[in-house]
Amino acid sequence: MSDEFYLELSENPVQFENASSVNNVFFDEANKQVFAVRSGGATGVVVKGPDDKSSVAFRMDDKGEVKCIKFSIGNKILAVQRTAKSVDFINFIPDCPHTEFTQECKTKNANVLGFCWTNWNEIVFVTDQGIEFYQVYPDKRSLKLLKSQSINVNWYQYCPETAVILLSTTVQGNVLQPFVFKNGTMSKMSKFEIELPVVPKPAKLNLSERDIAMATIYGQLYVMYLKHHSRTANSPSAEVVLYHLPREGACKKSHVLKLNTTGKFALNIVDNLVVVHHQSSRTSLIFDIKLKEPEGAVNTHQPVLPARSIHPYRIPLAGPAVVPTQPPVSCQLYSSSWSVFQPEIIISASEGKDTSSWYLQVKLPPTVNLLQDKGKLMDFLLRRRDCKMVILSVCSQMLEGGGENGNLPVVATVFDKLNQVYKEYLEAEQSNPAAMESGPSRGSAAQKRPIITQAVIDQSDMYTHVLSSFTEKKGVSHKFIIAVLMEYIRSLNQFQITVQHYLYELVIKTLVQHNLFYMLHQYLQYHVLSDSKPLACLLLSLESTYPPAHQLSLDMLKRLSTANDEIVEVLLSKQQVLEALRFIRSVGNHDNVSARKFLDAAQQTGDQMLFYTVFRSFQQRNQRMRGSPAFNPGEHCEEHVQHFVQLFGDQSLLKPSTV
Amino acid sequence: MASGMQEKQFTPCLLSFFIYNPTFGPREGEEEKKILFYHPNDVEKNEKIRNVGLCEAIVQFTRTFCPTKPAKSLHTQKNRQFFFEPEENFWIVMVVRNPMIEKLNKDGKPPTVEYQEEEILDTVYGAVVRQCYSMYKLFNGTFTRAMEAGGVEMLIQKLEKFFYRYLQTLHLQSCDLLDVFGGISFFPLDKMTYLKIQSFVNRVEESLSLIKYTAFLYNDQLIWSGLEQDDMRILYKYLTTSLFPRHSEPELAGRDSPLRPEVAGNLLHYGRFLTGPTNLKDPEAKFRFPKIFVSTQDGYEELHLIVYKAMSAAACFMISASVELTREFCEKLDGLVGPQLTLLASDICEQFTINRRISGPEKEPQFKFIYFNHMNLAEKSTIHMRKTASVCLTSVHPDLMKILGDINCDFARVDEDEEIIVKAMTDYWVVGKKSDQRELYVILNQKNANLIEVNEAVKKLCATQFNNIFFLD
Amino acid sequence: MSQSSLVAMESVGAQRATATWENGSLAPLDHLRSERADSPTPGLVEGTEPGAGQQSAMFVHSQSFEDLTADAEDKTESKNSEEECEGKLDELVEEEAIEEQCNNMSLESRSREEDVSSEAWRSHKKHVFVLSEAGKPIYTRYGTEEALSSTMGVMMALVSFVEAKKNIIRSIHADGCKVVFLTRSPLVLVGVSRTWQSDKELLRELQYIYYQIVSLLTLTQLNHIFQHKQNYDLRRLLAGSEYLTDNLLHRLDRDPGLLLSAVTCLPLPSSARDVVSSSLQAAKSKNLVFSILLAGDRLVTLVRKKDQFLHHIDLHLVFNLVGSSSSFREGEGWTPICLPKFNTAGFFHAHISYLEPTSELCLILISTDREDFFNMSDCKQRILERLSKRSAYQTMKEALQCPSYSVVQVGIPELRHFLYKSKSSGLYTSPQFPEVYQSDQEQERLMGLYQDLHSFLHHPSRPLRSFYRCGETENLLAQVTSGFELYLCFSPLGTKALADSAVIKLLKWIRKEEDRLFILNPLTY
C-alpha cells in the first residue's frame, strides 16, 4: 500500500517561527522566500530561501505594520509596504546609501493593493485603480514612472516565471486583464472573462482570488480557475478550468479537469502535472493535460491516477529545543493551516510547531502499478522528469511475463511510444546538433536543453537494461524472445531509425542458440537484418554450423560494395584462388594486385594445375604491363618462379620473345 | 523439321507406375505378393510380375558394377523406366513412353512409328518420381509407418487411395527443369511490410498457442515459413499446384482492394478456410482438417493443416494432430485472423504496386531466365507463366528447355563454379551460370551476337535482377 | 557404287544437323575449291576450310559420327558392298586365312587374371564386354571371360527380355556409372563406364570394337559361324588377338583421331610430301588398292586406286593393327585384313613393313589378292629406291625428329591446346600437349573434356553450333561449321573476349601452315 503514494513532500523543509502578534510571516513566490518580521522589523527580519544558504537576516526601523515585503530579483533592493499609499525601499547593494526611500503611488486617492518586482530594479504597484510601472534608481534613491494604466482592480495575481500580472476587474471580478512586463516595457494582453456558474443578482464581486492561479504547464502560461459545483447550474462536482494565455492573441478556455467531487481544493503544478488537493478526503488528484489527444477547443480530463494522499510525513524537530530521544512528529497533512503557493509550494503553520514550507514532488514508481494501460503509462512517464529508469524497469517487468495472451500487442505499443520520442529526438539532433552534445542517454541533462522536453530511451538503453538480460532469461520461450526482438526491430524500422549492430547480433545469437537457422536465413533474405561488415563477419563465423551462412555473408559483402578486399580474403581463405582472381578482374583492378599473395595461396593448395594457371596469368600480366613476363624483384616471387621451374621445367617459363 | 502433313506427334506419357518390395514374395509363385501398387490396374497379373521382375534384374545387375549406387533409370527404344528406392527394399518405378512421330503411309501400309529417344531428360523425371514419394509421405508418413500401423494391407490401402488420385495430376509432357529444382518462389517484399507480417504471425501464434508452425504466402509465393526447408518445399508444391488452383475463384492475384462488395458483407473480413469447414455458420460443419507429416530431430510429427486465406494472402497454421480441433477454436481463429489478414493483404498489395511503380512497369524482358538457389530453394523464372497443376506454359521452344536441362546435368556432375554458353542450331544463345550453389539459365534471342556481346547481355541481366547477390562473373 | 551409297547414307544421317545450315554440305564442292580465303571465317563453305584437299579427298568423308551411330547403316552398307565385291574380290575366305593372320601376330599374353568380384575390378573406368547372342562370352577388357560367363548371361537375358517386348535395350544409368548395350547380330557388345561420356560416345566406341572383330573375321564369316553353331565359342578363333581390342580401347581413350573420325598428318613441307606421294604413286600394281605411309600414328601420305575410298575407321583399324605389334619390324608382314567400312564380306591383304628397321616410317600396301605378297614386296623396293634418290627423303626423316609443334607458335596467350578438323579432307591437326598435361591421366582428362564438347555439339537431337565452358581447370570453346570442327582449351583465367578472337586468329594461322600440316594434294594411281 505504502508504495501507492505518488506524491510526497520534499526532505528538510524550510522552517521558521509561527506567525504571531509580534511576528509577521510573508511568502514571496517570486524568490520563494519566507520573511519573518519580528515587531515590525525592529527586532529583526529573517529571510529564508529555498535552501538554507540563501537566508538573510537584518534589522530595520519599525515604521508601522508591514503589509508586504519583497526582495527584488537577486536580493538587490528590498521593498516594504506599510501604508496604503506608498512603498518604502532599502538598498541591499554594497556601497549604496542604505537609508530608506519612499515612493507614493501616483494615482490620486488610490490604495496600493500590492506590488511585484519584475526585474532587479523594476517594480509594479498594483492599486485598486490601476497599475504603475516604475524603474528604481537605488543610487539616486528615487523611482521613475515608466508606464501606468488606470483600471479598477479587485485583486491581482502575479506569475514570476512569465512576469505576467493578472488583474481582476469589473464588479463581479470575473473579467481578467493580464499585463506582461519585459525589460522596461509593459504591455497589455487581451483580457478575457471567466464564465461563472451562477450570476448573482444584484451583481457583486463573485470571483475570489483563491479560485484563480497562474502557472506554466509544458511551457505555456495557463490561468487555472477552480470552479466550485453549484446546485443551480447542473455541475454536480467541482472542476478546474484552464485558460490558455498565449503571448499574442486571445486567451482561450482550453482544458477542463474533472474533480468528480466537491469541497475545498488547492492547486499545485508539479513536473507539468496539475495537482489538485482535496481537503476533506485528504487526497490529491493529478492531471496531465497532454495525456490525451486534443478533441477540440476544450478538452475534458479525468485524473490520471486514482486519488491518493500525499506520502505521510514526519517533521524532524529542529532548533535548540531538540531532545534526541524524542521521535519526529508526523505532521498533519491537508490541515486547514496549509497554504499552497504556485507552482509547487506548500506551507503549513500548524500551531505549537514551527511553520514549514515544502516543495511538492511526484514519485514515479508507484504510478507504474496504478496505471494499468501500458501505453498510457508510457505517455505519462515519458513526460516526467527522471523517468528513464522507471520506464526501463516497466519494460523489463512487461517482458518478465513471457508470452501469456495478448502480451505482444502491448509490447508493440510500448516500443512504438518509446521510439516515437526517440525519433523526434534524433530529428531534433539532426536540425540542431549543438543542443544535444550531452546525448540522450543523460536524459535529465538533455532535458535542460531547449528542445528536449522529454526523456529518450534509445537502443543502447533498451539493449543494456532490458533486452540483453531478457534474452538470457530461463523459462521464457524462445518463440516469445524472438517475437519481442522482431517487434522492437519492427518498431525501429517503422520510425526509420537505423538499427544498431548489437541488436542484430542479439537476434542472431538467439536464433543460433535454438538452431533456428532457416528463420535466420529468411530474415536475411528479406534484409530484415541490414547489411554491415561486422554482420557479414558474424555470418562467416557461423559457416561451420550452418554452411549457407557463407553465401549469405558474401552476398552481404557484395551489397556493401566497399568490401572487395574482404571478399578476396574470404575466397582465398577457402582456397578459391581462381574465383578470387576472377572477382578482382570483374571489379577491374587485377593489374595492380600483389602477385605474391595469390601465388602463395595457389602454392598452398598443392594443386599443380592451379599454380601453373595463376603463375602463367601473372606472367601474362607482366608482359602486358611491362613488356616482359618476368617478375619485378620488388614482388618477391623468386621462390614461386623456382617452384614453377621445378614443376614444369624452365622451358615452360614464358620468354619475352614467345609472346 | 520433316515436311509431314502425314505425321502425328505424340508427347511422352505415363505407361505404368508401380511400387514393390522384393522381400515380400521371395519364393517361386509368390511374386505377386511383392507388388504393393500397380498402375494401370487392368494389366494382366503375369505381365505385372514380369515387369517387376525386369526391374529387379536391372537393379541386381547394376549392383555387380556399383553396389553402392543403385540403378536409377533404364533407357530403351520405346520408353524409359525410372527406379527409386525411398525406403529400404521399397522400390517405386515409373515407366514413361518416349515421344514419337507416327508417319502415316499411303497405300494403306500400317503407320511407321519413330521414337524420339533423346527427348526425355532423366533428371526431370527422376525428380518427378521422388516428388511422388515426398507427396505421399507428406500426407501419409513413410511406407514403414503404414506397415507398423496396419501391416501390408494398410500400406496397400494407403497407396491405392493416394496414388489413384495423385497420378492423374501428373502432367508428364509439361515437366521440365523446374521439377528438378523443386524450388520455392518467394514474394518480393519491402522490409517494413515483411516485418508487419512477422509480427502478425507472432501475435497469432501467441494468442492461439495451439499453433505450432505458421507459413505465410501471397499470390502463391512464399513469404514466411516456420517449417523446415524440405517440408516447406513439398508443402509449397502441394499448395501451389493443387490446393490453391482448386480454390481460385473471383479474387485472383492482385485484385486486393477490400472496397469490393463482399458476400459476407463485412468489408474488413475476407478470411475463409481453404481446408476444413467451408462455412462456419453451417451447424453441420465438420472441423476435420488434412493431416500432414513433417520431420523433427527425432523422426516425424503429425499435424493438422489449416489453410486460411483472405484475398491473395494465405496463412497455413499447423497444429499437433493429437489435439481435437473444435468449432470454438475455428471461430476464434476466424475472428482473430480474418480481419488482420485482410488488412495485411491490402497492405501488401499496396506496397507491391508501389514498389512496382518504382521499379518501372513490367516490360517483357528481352531475355528469359530461370534462377535457382540451392541454399534457400529460391526459384525465379521468366520463362514460365504461372505454373499450375494442370499446365506449365513456357514461352520458349521445348528444345531450348531441354538444352537448359543438359547444361544443368553438366553442372550437377561436379560441385564447382562453372559457366556454359552455347549457341543452338536455331541461333539462340543459351547461358548457364553456376556460382556457389546458385544456378542461372538465360536464353537470348540475339541471333548474330558473339560470345562477348552475349556475356555483356548476361552481365546486364545480373546487374538488374541479381545485383544484391554475389554472382561470380 | 559403295561410295555413292555411303554418301547418300551420310546425308540421311546428317540431315538433322545440317538442316538449318545456310550453306549445307550439299553444295557442289569443286567450283568452290578455287576460292581459298587467306583469312578464313567460321562461315566458310565446306571444302574451302583450312586443310581441305585440293582435288577429291582421299577418304569417304562423311559425318562419320552419324555413320557409327545410325542403325540402318550396316544392313544397307554390307548388302551394297557384298553385291559389289563379288566381281572385284575373292570369294569368301576360309578358316586358315584367319589362322594365318593370327599367327602373324606375336601373341603377347595379357595379364587378365583378376578377381571379378573385387572392388579393384569394379572400379575400372571402362569395361567392355562382347558376347554372342547365345550369351557366350567372347571378350572382356578386364578379368577372364570364364569368370564372367554368368554376368554376361544376365546381360544377354536383359537384352532378350526387352527384345521380347518388341523393344530394344539401350542403357542403364546409376550415379556415376552407366551400362550401354549394342546389338550387332550375331554379337552383343556391352560397355560399362564410370566416365562422363554420353551414351552415344560409348556406343561409338563399341562400334569400333565391333569393327575390330569384324576386321579379323569378316561379317560374312561371323554370321556363317553362328548360323551353323548358335553357341559357338568364338574365342577359339580370336585367341591371341585380344590385345588388338585392348589396344584399340586404349587408343579410344587417348587418340583424338578416333573421336573426330579423322587422322592427323606428319608435319612436312608440301614439296617434300608431294615427292613422297608421287614415289608411292609410281609403284603401282594390278591388285594394289591403297599405299599408305605412316610415321607412328601420323599419316605421311596415302595413294589409292581411282574410285576406291578408304574410310577413316578402316584406316584407324590399320593403324591399330600396325601400332599394336612389333612383329612387323622384323621384316615384311603379310596379313589378311577386312576393312569393314569398305566391305564387311571379304579380306584384303596388307603388306606391312618399315622403310628402315629403326625408323618410324611404316609402309602399308593393301592388295586384293592374297597371292600378291611378292608383287607388294617388289613395289616396296621400287618405292624405297625412288625415295632414297630424292632429298625429300632426308627432309622427311628430319621431320620425324619433331613430329608435332608447340601451341606457343600460334601466339595466342592463355591458349593451351586445340583440335582442328577439316571436314572435307577428314584430316585434323593438334599441337603437342603443354607441360601441365604431361601426365597420362591429365592427357586422358583433357581428352575426356574434348569428348564432352564433342557430344554436346553432336547431340543426336539437339546439336549445337558452338559451346563455351568456363570451369575450374580450363576454359573450353568448341565450334562446328559446315567446313570444320574446332576445339580450344584455354587457361581458366582466359577471358571470353580472348576465346572469341582466338578462333579467327587460329584459323589464319592454320591457313598459313596448312600445306605443312595437311595433305592438300592426295594422289591416285
Side-chain angles (χ1 to χ4, degrees), chain A residues 18 57 100 133 167 195 215-216 224 237 257 318 327 358-359 369 387 449 471 499 527 549 554 634 642:
Chain A
N18 274 352
E100 292 187 11
F133 183 34
L167 306 176
E195 54 208 49
T216 49
M224 302 183 285
S237 64
L257 315 181
W358 293 276
Y359 291 102
N369 309 327
C387 58
R449 314 203 158 271
T471 50
V499 182
H527 308 309
L554 272 181
Q642 240 173 33

Side-chain angles (χ1 to χ4, degrees), chain B residues 65 72-73 75-78 117-119 406 410 413 416 418-421 423 425 427 455, chain C residues 122 165-168 170-171 173-175 194 196 452 461-462 465-466 468-470 472 496:
Chain B
F65 292 97
K72 286 171 99 182
S73 70
H75 297 196
T76 69
Q77 180 198 26
K78 294 184 178 173
E117 299 185 38
E118 300 296 333
E119 295 308 306
D406 297 336
D410 195 76
R413 288 181 180 182
E416 345 179 289
E418 198 176 323
E419 178 171 10
I420 289 181
I421 304 178
K423 190 181 193 189
M425 277 304 164
D427 282 329
N455 192 44
Chain C
R122 270 197 227 98
K165 293 176 130 41
K166 308 266 173 300
N167 196 352
I168 308 166
R170 300 289 191 208
S171 56
H173 297 247
D175 279 327
R194 297 187 180 282
W196 292 112
D452 285 355
S461 67
R462 299 181 287 279
R465 286 195 193 288
S466 77
Y468 176 81
R469 175 197 277 146
C470 162
E472 287 288 303
K496 299 183 181 77

Side-chain angles (χ1 to χ4, degrees), chain A residues 52-68:
Chain A
D52 303 350
K53 285 146 236 64
S54 63
S55 69
V56 190
F58 58 92
R59 296 176 172 287
M60 60 183 194
D61 315 348
D62 179 353
K63 297 184 176 171
E65 190 206 345
V66 173
K67 283 198 164 67
C68 177

Side-chain angles (χ1 to χ4, degrees), chain A residues 233-247:
Chain A
N234 50 3
S235 56
S237 64
E239 55 191 31
V240 175
V241 182
L242 269 60
Y243 293 82
H244 179 218
L245 206 48
R247 283 250 164 283

Side-chain angles (χ1 to χ4, degrees), chain B residues 7 98-103 112-117, chain C residues 16:
Chain B
E7 279 186 9
N98 284 326
M100 55 186 195
I101 298 172
E102 204 177 65
K103 293 205 178 71
T112 50
V113 175
E114 181 192 301
Y115 289 92
Q116 298 169 307
E117 299 185 38
Chain C
R16 245 202 144 90

Side-chain angles (χ1 to χ4, degrees), chain C residues 174-216:
Chain C
D175 279 327
C177 169
K178 64 177 69 165
V179 185
V180 184
F181 296 83
L182 173 67
T183 21
R184 278 274 175 279
S185 184
L187 302 183
V188 172
L189 300 94
V190 180
V192 178
S193 161
R194 297 187 180 282
T195 69
W196 292 112
Q197 278 168 289
S198 66
D199 296 16
K200 292 294 169 193
E201 296 290 337
L202 293 165
L203 280 174
R204 182 176 53 81
E205 300 188 359
L206 291 183
Q207 289 276 8
Y208 265 108
I209 303 306
Y210 167 73
Y211 286 127
Q212 176 60 56
I213 294 174
V214 171
S215 77
L216 291 167

Side-chain angles (χ1 to χ4, degrees), chain A residues 163 227 248 286 325 335 384 434 502 505 632:
Chain A
K227 183 180 180 186
E248 291 85 21
I286 59 174
T325 59
S335 79
R384 307 284 80 82
Y502 44 76
E505 233 172 34
N632 282 349

